[in-house]
Amino acid sequence: GPVTAAPSPYRVVPADEVDWDDVRTVFGSTGIASRCWCQRYTLRRGESFSSFSAQEREHRLREQVQGCPGSTAGLVAYLGDEPVGWCAVQPRPRFEGLVRNNRVPWDGRHEDRTDEGVWAVTCLFSRAGYRRRGVSRALAVAAVSFARERGARALEGYPMVRTNAISDELHVGSVATFAAAGLVEVGRPTQRRAVMRLDL
């Protein structure tokens, strides 16, 4: 008979609907996430990542997540009542560092970078202690539904290719994780980076 996927044990919630302390719990107080606060892809023109503190990055994420009700920069995964994962997903032009600073090379792509109808996932992050347990996959699947419900025409992800990515870079997700959510590879702008996409 047909093989059906086991239901995910994870519940995924838009980040503007959760307590900020739950987001802080996922990011933790040590490690790369507690320094990054998902700001690398949102840097504005002329800004460098090192030009402002971790506290300022946290403040910016909180504004992006909760500053505009009904519009949020991400999703939080729960296992029971425990917050265990984060996904950054929103219209692609809002990731200024992605579309302007060329963090993902644009060579060979002939579409409007500022198209609000194309959404992007720039981070899939599992909290320490919950890694390799399907959290990222649950978040990627939820991101597809989240973008579709909000009118996205397409969703993109930009995974590092695992063979030569260091573990700290895998917060962008893996090819397999995005493939499980239905995205397909549409480009390989560098040896280390794939572009994956699902037209909704």
Side-chain angles (χ1 to χ4, degrees):
V3 177
T4 54
S8 169
Y10 301 106
R11 177 172 58 93
V12 179
V13 184
D16 58 338
E17 297 173 17
V18 310
D19 191 292
W20 180 248
D21 282 345
D22 286 358
V23 179
R24 294 187 73 171
T25 296
V26 174
F27 279 77
S29 56
T30 60
I32 192 165
S34 67
R35 297 192 297 275
C36 180
W37 289 100
C38 229
Q39 294 307 295
R40 205 170 283 282
Y41 288 92
T42 61
L43 291 176
R44 297 159 201 157
R45 191 187 290 277
E47 286 184 334
S48 73
F49 188 69
S50 57
S51 63
F52 49 97
S53 67
Q55 287 83 358
E56 169 64 15
R57 291 176 205 141
E58 180 185 349
H59 173 75
R60 285 190 179 194
L61 181 64
R62 188 168 187 171
E63 279 294 302
Q64 292 154 10
V65 161
Q66 299 185 323
C68 183
S71 167
T72 187
L75 306 170
V76 178
Y78 288 84
L79 183 60
D81 292 329
E82 204 56 46
V84 297
W86 158 261
C87 169
V89 55
Q90 57 182 335
R92 189 175 62 192
R94 296 190 196 164
F95 294 110
E96 288 195 41
L98 179 69
V99 296
R100 287 205 176 81
N101 302 346
N102 244 18
R103 282 199 67 80
V104 175
W106 209 264
D107 303 343
R109 305 197 72 191
H110 304 292
E111 63 172 84
D112 179 4
R113 299 186 193 203
T114 62
D115 184 347
E116 287 271 338
V118 179
W119 285 43
V121 172
T122 59
C123 181
L124 289 164
F125 179 77
S126 305
R127 179 179 157 196
Y130 295 92
R131 297 192 182 133
R132 300 190 177 280
R133 290 170 55 177
V135 176
S136 289
R137 188 167 292 206
L139 283 163
V141 169
V144 170
S145 299
F146 181 75
R148 182 183 278 128
E149 285 162 11
R150 282 155 181 76
R153 287 185 297 96
L155 181 68
E156 291 189 342
Y158 312 99
M160 301 302 277
V161 181
R162 192 175 282 277
T163 49
N164 41 13
I166 59 170
S167 61
D168 275 356
E169 293 175 321
L170 293 176
H171 62 274
V172 294
S174 68
V175 170
T177 297
F178 283 115
L183 283 73
V184 297
E185 188 172 322
V186 295
R188 187 69 68 97
T190 69
Q191 288 185 323
R192 306 178 66 221
R193 176 86 73 166
V195 176
M196 298 187 70
R197 184 174 171 119
L198 175 63
D199 290 307
L200 301 171

